[in-house]
Amino acid sequence: MKDVYGQALLDFLIGQEKELLIHTSYGNVEEMPVEVFFREPSDFTPAEILAINNCKGRILDIGAGAGSLSLFLQHKGMEITALDQSALALEVMKKRGVNNLIKSDIFQLQNFKADTLLLMMNGIGLAGDLEGLEKLLCKLKSLLNKGGKVIFDSSDIAYLYKDCPLPNNGYYGELTYWYEYQGFKSNPFKWLYIDKSLMKEYATKAGFKMQVIDVDDYDQYLAVLTEAD
Ligand SMILES: C[S@@+](CC[C@H](N)C(=O)[O-])C[C@H]1O[C@@H](n2cnc3c(N)ncnc32)[C@H](O)[C@@H]1O
């Protein structure tokens, strides 16, 4: 099984849900509740609602997963395209009725321009690490129409280290995960959780102005990037 995560989404959609496990580089194994990817508008968090309300013009939902946010925006009559690198996630979104789909690694996307780039569920994390973040911000800039914006969420995971020292080999928000499903393991992939002030530094370096528009009790924040003057 190559696309372990996408297979879990597809099985859930057809009512054959099985346990999806997620392993982390800091030694944890947890069950990943697949229904989270299929959340209904009534399940959206206040930050997600705020993110949706800030979307304007042509929207690209990057790392759209099972397409819950894309579907909602589409039903609102917005011009929305969902992008994901997982072929089976694309199949799920197609079956759920998302009309405009792109199967691509965001780093490889060419010839597309949008007014809003949306990256949700710790979405900016697909940068993988700080080096990847520099590349991602440069890529996002190239995809934006003049006056456009990037809307994303992330969180500070320093709390994970409150009883142990911070890692001394890189930024503490750079994690590695892999999925396990039906005895099959995905390739490991990196995911970045970045605190607000470091994110602001990277955004500024990339020529963006960053505005934090929501922070919740778990230090998860929602932010908007616009081109700096
Ligand atoms: C945490 S899920 C986010 C789901 C979705 N945004 C939501 O709010 O329900 C992350 C998604 O990003 C996709 N992804 C990860 N890296 C990617 C990349 N480099 N290019 C495109 N999609 C990517 C994964 O396949 C996965 O569907």
Side-chain angles (χ1 to χ4, degrees):
M1 195 187 293
K2 261 171 65 189
D3 187 355
V4 166
Y5 154 82
Q7 189 63 52
L9 295 183
L10 190 58
D11 287 348
F12 183 92
L13 184 72
I14 60 172
Q16 310 259 316
E17 185 189 357
K18 293 164 203 99
E19 188 181 60
L20 177 66
L21 297 174
I22 186 147
H23 296 253
T24 65
S25 48
Y26 58 90
N28 259 23
V29 191
E30 280 171 19
E31 188 180 348
M32 178 85 214
V34 183
E35 66 267 21
V36 167
F37 296 105
F38 291 84
R39 62 204 181 283
E40 294 294 327
S42 56
D43 304 320
F44 291 166
T45 63
E48 286 176 323
I49 293 165
L50 192 55
I52 286 166
N53 289 338
N54 269 276
C55 289
K56 287 203 172 67
R58 189 176 195 213
I59 306 159
L60 182 65
D61 184 4
I62 299 173
S68 290
L69 296 175
S70 288
L71 262 184
F72 183 75
L73 287 159
Q74 183 178 293
H75 288 149
K76 271 181 76 176
M78 313 281 288
E79 188 186 351
I80 168 92
T81 300
L83 173 143
D84 207 285
Q85 66 181 6
S86 156
L88 293 177
L90 265 277
E91 199 176 319
V92 166
M93 288 195 270
K94 194 167 176 200
K95 285 185 194 295
R96 293 184 84 196
V98 180
N99 293 331
N100 302 321
L101 294 163
I102 299 177
K103 184 196 171 302
S104 175
D105 176 342
I106 185 60
F107 291 96
Q108 306 302 326
L109 183 66
Q110 304 286 347
N111 303 322
F112 192 95
K113 289 279 185 189
D115 302 298
T116 304
L117 301 171
L118 185 63
L119 299 104
M120 293 301 289
M121 247 180 112
N122 276 303
I124 201 93
L126 59 77
D129 54 22
L130 293 177
E131 201 184 321
L133 181 63
E134 281 187 34
K135 292 189 190 128
L136 180 64
L137 289 172
C138 185
K139 180 47 127 182
L140 297 180
K141 214 166 172 202
S142 76
L143 298 173
L144 272 186
N145 281 329
K146 202 168 168 37
K149 56 181 152 184
V150 182
I151 304 176
F152 71 94
D153 60 351
S154 190
S155 47
D156 186 352
I157 58 163
Y159 68 88
L160 284 178
Y161 301 93
K162 67 178 185 319
D163 298 324
C164 59
L166 290 171
N168 53 11
N169 55 345
Y171 175 59
Y172 63 81
E174 295 174 334
L175 299 187
T176 301
Y177 288 105
W178 59 100
Y179 283 117
E180 183 178 343
Y181 186 65
Q182 295 281 283
F184 292 92
K185 289 185 176 159
S186 72
N187 291 328
F189 58 95
K190 294 193 282 181
W191 205 263
L192 176 68
Y193 294 86
I194 183 162
D195 66 274
K196 294 189 284 298
S197 76
L198 188 58
M199 181 64 216
K200 202 164 192 167
E201 269 179 45
Y202 275 77
T204 307
K205 237 192 304 175
F208 284 111
K209 203 164 67 183
M210 176 169 137
Q211 196 192 355
V212 173
I213 58 171
D214 187 67
V215 184
D216 74 10
D217 298 341
Y218 304 96
D219 225 1
Q220 174 137 9
Y221 64 94
L222 178 70
V224 177
L225 304 180
T226 47
E227 257 186 86
D229 315 311

